[in-house]
Amino acid sequence: MKWLVTGGAGFIGSNFVFYLMDQYPEDQIVCVDSLTYAGNLETLESVMEDPRFSFAKVDIADRKAIYALFEQEKPDVVVNFAAETHVDRSVMDPGVFLRTNVLGTGVLMDASRQYGVKRYHQVSTDEVYGDLPLDRPDLFFTEETPIHTSSPYSASKASADLLVQAYHRTFGLPVSISRCSNNYGPYQFPEKLIPLMIANALNDKPLPVYGTGENVRDWLYVTDHCAAIDLIVRKGKEGSVYNIGGHNERTNLEVVKTILHTLDKPESLIHFVTDRPGHDRRYAIDPAKIHRELGWLPTTAFDEGMKKTIRWYLDNRAWWEHIISGDYQNYYSKMYGNR
Ligand code: NAD
Ligand code: TYD
């Protein structure tokens, strides 16, 4: 089978590439990534020379380049991870989110139609459902929860999901969509909560917690997400949406304290800063459908996953220090300077 994986130089996409290469030695993988600030070829170093793997630096919204690539590669399956993904950046500059997340998805689906792709899988997010109140722990997002977005990021992802469903209904494109909760693990860009807090703690810098730190996220170890997507692509019902999550809800403050305790750093490093505009309160996935239909269950418990992740950032300092010594400095002072 030949996979075309977009966004494979980013966090989850690269983990997915490693997952496929590990699980399916016979498969071919074409990784497509335009290498934005979030894409990093160093991440893919270990597979670059592997004959089963090839890399193409292409923007998914560049129709001509995408068609030429599909013409050359004729993939069986497309899995679209490529996206602008950071909520805070979408507040500062929404435009690029529309271009990549919406228009780019449209281009990939047009090419998938043209070249007879057997499955187009859209990697979406639980953020399309908006948020849940903090005082209703009985409520969860199901696949039937109405789309109700809060940020330009989530609105762009929801728009893409609607387009994917329209291509299925109108053109019969064989699609599937997955909506996962927050991921963590190796190779996550240090602008996101967990790697940012690990990096700051290791550098004895303040840990900027938005608002009161009571917002809740539902955390899933990245390899569990990869396994779920693989299962959906192979066995999931065409045209279907699957929620992915492992019932691992934590407040941001709990996550930050776990990091500090594991690294033996003082809680005095925690700094409460101005809240994110439109900050979603709680995400919580009901994963009953994917469990019932496909037998998927997460395998990495939160405590174990956090230990592995912190260990990885300790063992791979060069990877993230390289990032935070570059353009990231400008981003950091713009985002956190006046908070
Ligand atoms: P990431 O920001 O780490 O990586 C995104 C990758 O896409 C980067 O390599 C970047 O270079 C590439 N990219 C961006 N614009 C592109 C374009 N126009 N053309 C080609 N490549 C482009 O993101 P991530 O956290 O790995 O997320 C991957 C996908 O999973 C996204 O679609 C995101 O919405 C979804 N998702 C993420 C999470 C999470 O917790 N991180 C949870 C649920 C869903
Ligand atoms: P993030 O990793 O950006 O993911 P998302 O907003 O897509 O869920 O943020 C996770 C949570 O952590 C979110 O509630 C915002 C909060 N947060 C902070 O408190 N401080 C920070 O510096 C960052 C980046 C996030």
Side-chain angles (χ1 to χ4, degrees):
M1 182 145 102
K2 191 184 253 192
W3 300 73
L4 190 139
V5 177
T6 71
F11 164 45
I12 310 174
S14 61
N15 277 282
F16 189 67
V17 166
F18 302 146
Y19 180 87
L20 290 181
M21 296 193 67
D22 194 46
Q23 297 281 319
Y24 306 107
E26 305 297 314
D27 289 4
Q28 292 284 323
I29 296 145
V30 180
C31 171
V32 178
D33 199 298
S34 63
L35 301 178
T36 67
Y37 78 93
N40 189 347
L41 273 189
E42 279 174 39
T43 301
L44 294 171
E45 221 167 59
S46 64
V47 293
M48 272 318 224
E49 300 301 321
D50 195 308
R52 298 173 297 151
F53 178 84
S54 65
F55 180 82
K57 183 176 183 305
V58 173
D59 179 342
I60 59 162
D62 181 343
R63 187 171 290 273
K64 221 172 130 204
I66 286 292
Y67 274 60
L69 189 71
F70 274 64
E71 171 70 36
Q72 183 188 313
E73 299 290 351
K74 308 225 168 38
D76 299 303
V77 170
V78 173
V79 182
N80 181 25
F81 291 94
E84 288 292 333
T85 61
H86 193 35
V87 173
D88 293 326
R89 285 185 193 253
S90 82
V91 175
M92 282 202 292
D93 180 16
V96 66
F97 285 72
L98 304 187
R99 184 178 181 280
T100 291
N101 299 4
V102 187
L103 299 180
T105 297
V107 169
L108 286 174
M109 287 195 296
D110 285 337
S112 298
R113 282 182 66 205
Q114 173 105 356
Y115 291 95
V117 161
K118 295 190 199 83
R119 175 62 68 90
Y120 173 89
H121 183 78
Q122 178 72 3
V123 180
S124 186
T125 164
D126 62 353
E127 300 193 28
V128 301
Y129 299 121
D131 65 351
L132 297 163
L134 291 176
D135 59 359
R136 290 291 307 274
D138 54 313
L139 296 180
F140 297 91
F141 298 138
T142 72
E143 290 78 1
E144 274 68 53
T145 302
I147 301 281
H148 187 81
T149 55
S150 313
S151 69
Y153 163 66
S154 56
S156 68
K157 293 295 289 184
S159 306
D161 284 11
L162 295 178
L163 204 57
V164 174
Q165 287 172 322
Y167 270 57
H168 177 63
R169 169 94 187 228
T170 303
F171 303 120
L173 186 70
V175 304
S176 45
I177 297 175
S178 54
R179 295 179 178 149
C180 190
S181 59
N182 286 63
N183 283 214
Y184 67 105
Y187 299 108
Q188 186 167 29
F189 194 86
E191 66 187 349
K192 304 283 167 59
L193 179 76
I194 289 178
L196 184 141
M197 297 300 175
I198 295 173
N200 283 17
L202 286 172
N203 287 329
D204 296 308
K205 277 179 59 177
L207 274 52
V209 173
Y210 299 166
T212 58
E214 282 158 332
N215 302 60
V216 171
R217 295 294 182 263
D218 185 357
W219 295 97
L220 188 72
Y221 192 68
V222 62
T223 315
D224 283 325
H225 186 188
C226 295
I229 292 173
D230 175 38
L231 207 53
I232 295 167
V233 168
R234 286 168 192 277
K235 302 202 176 123
K237 212 170 129 225
E238 212 174 279
S240 238
V241 175
Y242 292 90
N243 284 354
I244 309 171
H247 285 302
N248 264 308
E249 291 179 53
R250 297 285 186 286
T251 66
N252 292 338
L253 209 49
E254 283 169 337
V255 170
V256 169
K257 285 185 179 171
T258 301
I259 292 168
L260 288 172
H261 294 169
T262 310
L263 292 172
D264 205 17
K265 298 283 182 180
E267 287 189 9
S268 57
L269 280 177
I270 295 174
H271 281 222
F272 292 98
V273 301
T274 312
D275 211 350
R276 167 189 283 173
H279 196 173
D280 280 336
R281 293 160 295 177
R282 170 174 170 252
Y283 301 144
I285 282 277
D286 175 356
K289 179 178 173 183
I290 189 168
H291 177 56
R292 192 178 58 244
E293 286 190 16
L294 305 178
W296 177 86
L297 276 177
T299 58
T300 305
F302 186 71
D303 292 349
E304 182 199 344
M306 280 300 279
K307 279 203 189 89
K308 282 210 282 201
T309 302
I310 293 172
R311 184 78 256 158
W312 188 87
Y313 281 87
L314 279 167
D315 291 344
N316 292 274
R317 268 192 106 113
W319 182 88
W320 56 268
E321 276 180 345
H322 196 171
I323 293 170
I324 64 176
S325 62
D327 269 355
Y328 181 83
Q329 295 283 347
N330 298 331
Y331 163 79
Y332 202 89
S333 50
K334 212 156 125 195
M335 186 62 72
Y336 295 96
N338 297 316
R339 244 169 152 146

